[in-house]
Amino acid sequence: MGTVQFLMDGFATALQWHNILFALVGVIIGTAVGVLPGIGPMSGVALLIPVTATLTSGMPTEAAAASSIILLAGVYYGAMYGGSTTSILLNTPGESSSVVTALDGYQMAQQGRAGAALSISAIGSFFAGIVSLIGLVLLAKPLSNIALEFGPAEYFSLMLLGLCAVSGLAGKSVTKALIMTVLGLMLGTIGIDAVSGIARFTYDIPVLYGGLEFLTIAVGLFAIGEVFKTVIEREADDAPIAKINRILPTKQDLKESAKPIARGSFLGFFIGVLPGAGATLASFFSYITEKKVSKNPDSFGKGNIAGVAGPESANNAASGGAMIPLLTLGIPGSGTTAILMGALIMYNVQPGPLLFSDHPDIAWGLIASMFIGNLVLLILNMPLVRVFAKIIQTPKKYLLPIIIAISFFGVYAVQYSTFDLYLLLGCGVFGYLFTKNDYPVAPLVLALVLGPMLENNMRRALTISNGEWSIFVTSPLSLVFLIIAVAWIAIPLILKLLGRNVVVNDEE
Amino acid sequence: MVKSFDKISGIVFLVISLLFISGSLKISGSAYGSAVGPKTYPLILGIVLALLSLRLLYESFKKHAETEQKEKSQMYYKNFGIILVSAILYVFLLELLGFIISTFLFLLVAFQVMERGKIIASIIISAVFSIGVYMMYVNLLGGTLPKFALF
């Protein structure tokens, strides 16, 4: 059966009325989640897992899995659309992948061009979504075939590459990023070792046998940490909301954004495919690229539309791209895809190379539904924007405690344990301390997810080779990945030593 | 403040890595006779962290020459402290008093700490949120949240 045939079948699944409804609900919730600061796609997806389980309880497992994942994926890329709204209107990023959008987007809003900024974001996001989906369709089969050749050594090196990619690019200090990565890996070792059944670092405390839950730590570090930061450092007044005058962009705007959108989409897609690098990295990268290729780089930060078009396309393309390693290799490309993987496993669907042969209707149904979801988002974005702008005008006095309450509710609903709530608070405090002192938190969270898989693959590879460590370098693919990983970290360091400034996150 | 935090955290990380290394040495070296056991990976991590924290300390001492300038904007530590303590109490009382009551109390305290005044609005919003989430999640969507457990 050809790819096109599969895709048509996928559309047949996606166009069933309940799946359209699920997609619709998913993208609307996703946009809301992206708009609200403090609750991000990760928490949104995690919170909805028990909800989707209840909603689909009447259906046969396969159909239930397809419908749930359609809804959850809708939340994921919907959040990418929503995050830009607050960045542009309020200079407050809805979540980390929209941070760069605020730089030029808010300036545009101040100049009365909020409507243009918003619609260019939507158009760019839509285009990027389609590009990443086409990429997904084209690459799914070939990548799964290659993935079947992957042995544990290759997986190990690939994941190491992903971790190095995140550390090498996140923040001003590679040392700090690497420390956070290792810290995350260490936190991942707490619990019962999967291979041997031996308890590690549990000190006879029963709650620790299952290990530390990724969701709790992620929500604590990101959401609660952010809330604490706002509480402590609260400025007397938030930036006033900008008015939305004309909705549609001018021809000039469209012309200027066309190339950034295209560049951002392809860049974002490739970064998204890399395991460990996600939407946030993609948006930063795109901003830097646009600034470098622009004819007037000084206008960035003052309302250059390329600074909005590029990053917004990049983050949507990255979220589509991140689905690829999830679906084809079974390796989550980012925190949110890790949660999506958890949801799939819950329905007894193992993501990986066999997903396309064992459960083609889920895989292709999901892909087809992503097309539909992107279209819905583009159409809905304009009317929805005004609605969400109203929501954000909630004064911080009410918003912040409610975000804390939502996070508590979210974590408790998933974990049913007060230990996790204490852990949540603790991570919130640490999250505040870390971000305040330039320790990037994202590598820690990603390492927490990839850690157990990293170790399992390492052990498997060594078992196969009977303890010979050379297996990681004798296998050609594995060697390539390791070389790229080392280069990723070493090259910026070497360039810095030679005097060139290659810092990525440097916009002030 | 940043650089002294770096020095302190460098030392803290070094200590953590040493503890981790000693902890992982106690883990059994081999399972079912395999060549590599559950102690290897944590041991490697501990060593890497130790090296990284040494490098961090080195970097933070090197930056010592830079001037110290931090915006002296006001830090609302007291507000944060109260909210943190009430959050801890919230978790502690959650399964005793049930979701609705403890959420209501927490939100009320937090709203007032953020900005005193308009107490009627605070009460209404806290009540609506707590009851609303409970109703929606438990009754409508079939989830489970703690109920009032004292009597």
Side-chain angles (χ1 to χ4, degrees):
Chain A
M1 288 238 264
T3 309
V4 180
Q5 177 65 34
F6 273 122
L7 193 55
M8 289 301 127
D9 286 341
F11 271 108
T13 316
L15 285 172
Q16 294 172 329
W17 73 271
H18 59 264
N19 282 338
I20 297 188
L21 192 61
F22 273 104
L24 201 65
V25 170
V27 298
I28 293 184
I29 296 184
T31 319
V33 153
V35 159
L36 280 174
I39 197 166
M42 274 201 272
S43 328
V45 172
L47 274 175
L48 285 173
I49 294 183
V51 172
T52 55
T54 318
L55 284 173
T56 57
S57 51
M59 299 191 230
T61 331
E62 285 264 326
S67 305
S68 306
I69 200 82
I70 285 177
L71 192 150
L72 295 172
V75 173
Y76 184 32
Y77 54 86
M80 299 299 150
Y81 277 81
S84 51
T85 311
T86 38
S87 297
I88 294 173
L89 291 177
L90 287 182
N91 207 21
T92 313
E95 21 101 32
S96 49
S97 54
S98 323
V99 167
V100 250
T101 317
L103 292 171
D104 277 276
Y106 186 63
Q107 295 301 319
M108 285 182 68
Q110 298 284 66
Q111 297 162 10
R113 296 157 67 203
L118 288 167
S119 43
I120 287 290
S121 302
I123 295 174
S125 304
F126 174 72
F127 183 78
I130 300 297
V131 163
S132 64
L133 281 176
I134 296 180
L136 179 55
V137 167
L138 290 174
L139 286 180
K141 240 0 186 133
L143 264 183
S144 317
N145 290 340
I146 300 183
L148 286 169
E149 314 273 330
F150 274 22
E154 284 74 25
Y155 272 110
F156 172 81
S157 309
L158 186 59
M159 287 190 237
L160 202 59
L161 168 59
L163 287 175
C164 289
V166 172
S167 316
L169 295 171
K172 303 194 180 91
S173 160
V174 175
T175 316
K176 288 183 182 176
L178 282 174
I179 289 186
M180 297 301 278
T181 312
V182 175
L183 212 54
L185 292 174
M186 285 167 129
L187 287 174
T189 59
I190 300 179
I192 296 188
D193 169 35
V195 177
S196 59
I198 295 180
R200 297 192 292 194
F201 301 110
T202 52
Y203 302 112
D204 286 337
I205 306 175
V207 274
L208 289 180
Y209 283 148
L212 295 176
E213 172 64 30
F214 152 78
L215 174 72
T216 315
I217 298 189
V219 173
L221 287 173
F222 285 118
I224 308 275
E226 192 58 38
V227 168
F228 284 166
K229 178 158 181 255
T230 319
V231 170
I232 294 183
E233 298 175 359
R234 184 159 47 118
E235 273 102 46
D237 173 2
D238 355 21
I241 182 168
K243 283 216 56 76
I244 306 178
N245 297 335
R246 39 168 311 143
I247 293 291
L248 296 171
T250 61
K251 264 215 164 61
Q252 178 69 12
D253 288 335
L254 281 172
K255 223 167 62 127
E256 280 176 14
S257 330
K259 286 230 188 75
I261 290 181
R263 275 194 288 263
S265 305
F266 287 105
L267 193 61
F269 177 70
F270 282 113
I271 294 186
V273 170
L274 199 63
T280 314
L281 224 57
S283 57
F284 276 117
F285 236 138
S286 168
Y287 191 76
I288 304 286
T289 313
E290 289 308 316
K291 202 164 171 186
K292 280 220 169 78
V293 305
S294 160
K295 292 196 186 62
N296 41 348
D298 295 320
S299 65
F300 274 78
K302 300 195 189 75
N304 189 330
I305 200 165
V308 172
E312 273 306 305
S313 313
N315 71 22
N316 272 70
S319 60
M323 300 293 284
I324 293 191
L326 174 67
L327 294 176
T328 58
L329 301 175
I331 300 179
S334 65
T336 321
T337 32
I339 302 189
L340 283 173
M341 185 167 104
L344 275 173
I345 294 183
M346 201 173 82
Y347 287 101
N348 209 17
V349 173
Q350 178 72 31
L354 295 178
L355 180 70
F356 284 88
S357 38
D358 289 349
H359 302 274
D361 45 332
I362 296 185
W364 292 105
L366 173 64
I367 297 177
S369 132
M370 281 166 81
F371 275 108
I372 299 179
N374 267 296
L375 192 60
V376 167
L377 277 170
L378 181 66
I379 300 174
L380 282 186
N381 230 312
M382 285 306 110
L384 274 185
V385 149
R386 293 195 204 258
V387 170
F388 288 125
K390 278 275 159 241
I391 299 183
I392 316 158
Q393 281 181 300
T394 327
K396 285 218 174 86
K397 161 184 180 174
Y398 296 119
L399 193 59
L400 294 175
I402 288 192
I403 292 178
I404 300 184
I406 293 183
S407 309
F408 273 34
F409 158 65
V411 168
Y412 189 84
V414 174
Q415 293 293 99
Y416 294 113
S417 129
T418 38
F419 167 76
D420 274 74
L421 294 179
Y422 287 122
L423 183 61
L424 186 69
L425 280 176
C427 287
V429 174
F430 279 117
Y432 167 66
L433 288 172
F434 282 145
T435 38
K436 192 153 144 37
N437 293 289
D438 293 330
Y439 285 86
V441 164
L444 191 152
V445 163
L446 278 161
L448 191 57
V449 179
L450 290 179
M453 292 194 282
L454 194 70
E455 181 185 8
N456 279 347
N457 280 303
M458 182 190 90
R459 304 257 287 269
R460 271 188 231 155
L462 287 171
T463 309
I464 292 177
S465 68
N466 266 324
E468 281 287 335
W469 287 84
S470 59
I471 187 172
F472 294 114
V473 289
T474 44
S475 145
L477 258 179
S478 168
L479 183 61
V480 167
F481 289 142
L482 283 178
I483 292 182
I484 301 180
V486 169
W488 209 292
I489 303 236
I491 292 190
L493 283 177
I494 298 180
L495 286 173
K496 221 194 272 189
L497 273 164
L498 293 176
R500 279 257 308 273
N501 226 338
V502 198
V503 183
V504 177
N505 287 4
D506 200 16
E507 41 292 299
E508 243 90 34
Chain B
M1 209 235 144
V2 178
K3 52 178 180 50
S4 56
F5 183 84
D6 277 358
K7 286 195 201 123
I8 300 177
S9 54
I11 300 183
V12 166
F13 285 135
L14 191 58
V15 168
I16 292 180
S17 64
L18 292 171
L19 288 173
F20 205 76
I21 293 179
S22 72
S24 51
L25 282 172
K26 294 199 198 103
I27 301 175
S28 117
S30 160
Y32 57 88
S34 67
V36 168
K39 82 154 37 128
T40 319
Y41 177 73
L43 195 57
I44 299 178
L45 288 181
I47 297 178
V48 172
L49 185 63
L51 293 172
L52 284 172
S53 41
L54 285 173
R55 163 125 194 121
L56 181 68
L57 280 172
Y58 165 72
E59 277 175 7
S60 60
F61 278 108
K62 222 172 66 154
K63 278 206 288 209
H64 202 71
E66 273 171 32
T67 49
E68 162 93 15
Q69 39 64 282
K70 224 33 191 162
E71 349 78 49
K72 249 358 228 148
S73 55
Q74 189 187 2
M75 308 286 220
Y76 292 79
Y77 284 124
K78 204 172 80 149
N79 284 1
F80 165 69
I82 302 181
I83 292 187
L84 185 63
V85 167
S86 38
I88 297 179
L89 279 174
Y90 174 29
V91 179
F92 187 64
L93 293 172
L94 180 64
E95 287 181 339
L96 268 173
L97 293 179
F99 177 79
I100 298 184
I101 298 186
S102 35
T103 313
F104 173 74
L105 288 172
F106 170 72
L107 282 178
L108 194 56
V109 168
F111 288 152
Q112 288 304 305
V113 163
M114 292 291 288
E115 201 185 298
R116 297 207 78 131
K118 293 210 204 120
I119 199 157
I120 305 283
S122 299
I123 295 183
I124 297 181
I125 297 184
S126 317
V128 165
F129 180 82
S130 324
I131 300 181
V133 169
Y134 188 85
M135 291 276 122
M136 180 205 69
Y137 193 67
V138 174
N139 295 353
L140 189 61
L141 294 168
T144 317
L145 285 173
K147 297 195 188 60
F148 186 67
L150 279 184
F151 53 79

